[in-house]
Amino acid sequence: GAVVSQHPSWVICKSGTSVKIECRSLDFQATTMFWYRQFPKQSLMLMATSNEGSKATYEQGVEKDKFLINHASLTLSTLTVTSAHPEDSSFYICSASHGGQGQFFGPGTRLTVL
Amino acid sequence: DAKTTQPPSMDCAEGRAANLPCNHSTISGNEYVYWYRQIHSQGPQYIIHGLKNNETNEMASLIITEDRKSSTLILPHATLRDTAVYYCIVRAPFRTGTASKLTFGTGTRLQVTL
């Protein structure tokens, strides 16, 4: 149990385009989902926390208008990187939680912006 | 959440026990010690967590000192598949109906060799 999937697993896009990444909890209802970003040889950095049906809470320094998060259902959250640029190239990881059951991580999405 | 300190890297021979230390001298009374690991280009994987008693599951054992200022994760018979970055995280317990973020440090890069 407690499986989290992400789609796509990798994506390459041109600079200036937008990219949407999906995070799904497959066998449980996730009241809260988290989005992390990880640059090469660095640790995971939390970008935002989203609760189903409400606006996401962004960490300091993360642009909410650039990284749009939607958590419309208890099993799906999406992260849209708008007007992507090469510096947005990174490994994006989501996690899902249902209160006391802890956090379960997705496999990650590697974004490359050309 | 309390800060943790881990050695940046460790080596271990396959079949031997891997003992990964973590210092968390500022841990407070209700904070748990969690361990996750991240295999290259994958999302983090939960390993184990504990409060003050030693814990064991099918993956590992967690030894927490009596003063709770440090802990050791033990992989009893390391295999090549255990090569990963191991993160020790201290935080308040997950509670039903709430979910709180995890703060990842730099972790310990464990290299298991033949």
Side-chain angles (χ1 to χ4, degrees):
Chain A
V3 178
V4 177
S5 70
Q6 284 185 238
H7 178 79
S9 56
W10 59 270
V11 56
I12 301 173
C13 70
K14 294 182 178 180
S15 185
T17 61
S18 295
V19 175
K20 180 183 286 187
I21 302 170
E22 293 185 349
C23 175
R24 293 182 185 272
S25 56
L26 299 185
D27 51 4
F28 68 102
Q29 293 185 325
T31 50
T32 304
M33 287 185 171
F34 302 85
W35 287 95
Y36 296 81
R37 179 169 54 181
Q38 186 175 33
F39 293 106
K41 299 188 185 300
Q42 295 186 21
S43 189
L44 285 78
M45 295 297 295
L46 180 67
M47 299 175 66
T49 303
S50 75
N51 293 296
E52 185 265 339
S54 61
K55 290 184 178 180
T57 301
Y58 291 81
E59 295 298 300
Q60 190 172 9
V62 178
E63 300 175 57
K64 63 180 182 180
D65 294 329
K66 181 170 181 61
F67 299 98
L68 303 179
I69 293 173
N70 184 283
H71 190 169
S73 79
L74 286 172
T75 59
L76 173 65
S77 176
T78 61
L79 168 68
T80 301
V81 183
T82 62
S83 186
H85 291 283
E87 58 265 30
D88 298 321
S89 297
S90 189
F91 192 48
Y92 291 86
I93 306 169
C94 73
S95 70
S97 176
H98 180 59
Q101 293 183 10
Q103 275 192 45
F104 303 95
F105 288 82
T109 296
R110 186 161 302 283
L111 169 64
T112 301
V113 184
L114 302 177
Chain B
D1 297 333
K3 183 177 178 178
T4 62
T5 303
Q6 299 177 253
S9 64
M10 293 182 64
D11 292 331
C12 178
E14 189 177 35
R16 306 298 293 267
N19 298 290
L20 292 90
C22 179
N23 285 324
H24 31 79
S25 57
T26 60
I27 192 170
S28 48
N30 67 341
E31 289 183 316
Y32 281 68
V33 180
Y34 284 84
W35 283 83
Y36 285 80
R37 73 179 182 184
Q38 185 180 25
I39 296 170
H40 183 63
S41 294
Q42 296 183 24
Q45 177 190 21
Y46 166 81
I47 302 174
I48 199 168
H49 75 278
L51 181 62
K52 56 183 179 181
N53 296 323
N54 297 338
E55 302 288 343
T56 295
N57 62 21
E58 64 278 6
M59 290 183 67
S61 295
L62 174 61
I63 308 297
I64 302 174
T65 58
E66 194 168 341
D67 63 7
R68 304 207 324 120
K69 293 185 176 181
S70 65
S71 60
T72 301
L73 178 74
I74 301 173
L75 307 178
H77 305 287
T79 70
L80 297 178
R81 288 193 298 268
D82 293 321
T83 293
V85 178
Y86 287 77
Y87 296 99
C88 168
I89 301 170
V90 170
R91 65 142 300 104
F94 293 106
R95 298 188 186 280
T96 301
T98 67
S100 299
K101 59 187 180 183
L102 295 171
T103 301
F104 286 81
T106 53
T108 295
R109 185 172 299 276
L110 176 67
Q111 180 69 52
V112 181
T113 58
L114 290 172

